[in-house]
Amino acid sequence: MNNVARSVGSAADKRMKKLFAPAAVVVAAMFAYGLVLIADAPTESTMGLVQKIFYFHVPSWFAMFAAAFTCGIASLFVLIRGRKSADRVALAAAELAVVFGLIGLITGPLWGRKAWGVYWQWDAKLTSALVMWLIFVAYLLLRRYGGAGSEKLSAVVAIFGMANVPFVYWSVNLWRTVHPLTSVVPTLPPVMRGTFWWCVVMFIGLYVLLLAARVRLEKRRAELDALFLAIED
Amino acid sequence: MSVRRVKRLVGTVLSTAALLAGLSAFPATASGQQPPEPPEGFVAAGDLPAKEELPAAPFVIGAYAVAWVLVFGYLWSIWQRLGRVERELADVSRRVEAGGRR
Amino acid sequence: MFLRTVWLVVRKDLLIEIRSREIVYTTLFFAVSCVLVFAFGFVREGRPVEDAAAGILWISIAFAGTLALGRAFERERQSETLRALMLAPVERPALYVGKLLGVLLLLAVVEAIVVPLVALMFQAPIFRHPVLMGALLATGTIGFAAVGTLFAAMLVRARSRDVLLPILLYPITIPVIIGGVRGTAALLQADVDVPMATAWLSMLAFFDVVFITLALWTFEPAMTE
């Protein structure tokens, strides 16, 4: 009985706790410096000030795809190996995919309203990103309302979602596109490019931090459940 | 058992072949539609005439605000939930230890 | 052994369906009502909005398909036959293929009625390129049903399964819908665009191969505890 109580809070947990605060400080500092960099970056001609949304919009999509990828890989482990830890990571990653995707989906239309005149234009990138975002929202809905055993089911959904990425992109792209070509990034002048990649690193760092925090929450919840079960014995 | 393995191998080979066929066929046939001209690359801000339309500032500020709110809102919600779970965990462990061995 | 299992499952479903004809009639009626409802939305002054026919056709197939999938597996759930099937010493993927074929047969019957109906109501020249159109319909329906059968089977034991099936199915089959609608529209428009239709067809075929393979791999792990 006491073994259960003692196992709560292992060495790895304590290490993670120690790393969390400094990591958070680092990311917050990067955030602050990032804002300085963004303000200093030269203004682009055709789109003007509103182009600065780019520094948050694109990196948050990077983070979303990192989260989506994580969820897909973790789901493979859930399905093939049935590991609980993989399932926690998959859930956390799916939540983060929804959060970062939401940032991208709101900043995109805000940029579009100013730059193209309309909030939504069924442009290829934004639409395919919307579809991917919907798949992860569906993942979360399944986890919440599917009842027992939905871990494996949602793992299948995540895997299918991952496999779908090229198809969604091709079909929506063939359907229509007005989005700036991806070649925008390499043609950026060094100052802008530096700021851009700084923001990418910052967002990825943010993603990793939030993922770690969320996984920790799930882990503690699982320990709590295990404790409750042990008491009932 | 070996028959199953052979079947699996054949299945994998066939699907890989189909995948490769699809990969080669699809881009070839899909070259047709050309997208409308999107802005290519970056053009530095020179002295361009100030355009009339909507003021950009509210959009930029709005976009950054949304990003901040979402990120920190999520972080805060994790913090809250974690605190609650930790408190419950401590509470239950205390009860377990107080109850002694059973 | 694999094919025999597939045949047995298909035969079982066919026999039940022939005797009761419940799913066929209800799904067919639903598909026809769908077409009508959309017609009221998209026909202005007796003439349909451009490209409406293709969209309405595929949306009706998607909706009717979701309904049919739900009903087919609800039947399995009620009699606990799915558990019996999983307990049988047969290859699980064969069960999946058997159910898939059953759903496809059902949808083929529905489409055999709905496609000419759409051609009639929207004055769409669907039979101009019958082979290509047939291929588009086939690959699209297979793609939709492949993902749908797996998800419906997975959800049999889940809570809120009725609403979760469309929630999970539609985002993942969006490429199928886009491909089907745009391919069909390319064939129905005034200046027919055969290369475009062929491009969409190859995307749909590719989708089918990838997702049937994925479904075959994940069926067993997903269905077992």
Side-chain angles (χ1 to χ4, degrees), chain C residues 12 17 52 68 75 81 99 107-108 115-116 119 125 134 136 149 152-153 158-159 162-163 171 197 202 205 211-212 224:
Chain C
K12 161 185 88 79
E17 198 46 44
R75 198 185 260 166
T81 55
K99 293 302 285 183
L107 284 176
V115 170
L136 274 170
T149 308
R159 254 178 54 207
D162 297 317
V163 73
S202 51
F211 279 87
I212 292 184
T224 52

Side-chain angles (χ1 to χ4, degrees), chain C residues 40-56:
Chain C
F40 292 134
F42 290 104
V43 172
R44 229 184 302 153
E45 295 159 13
R47 233 170 310 124
V49 170
E50 209 182 299
D51 275 352
I56 293 173

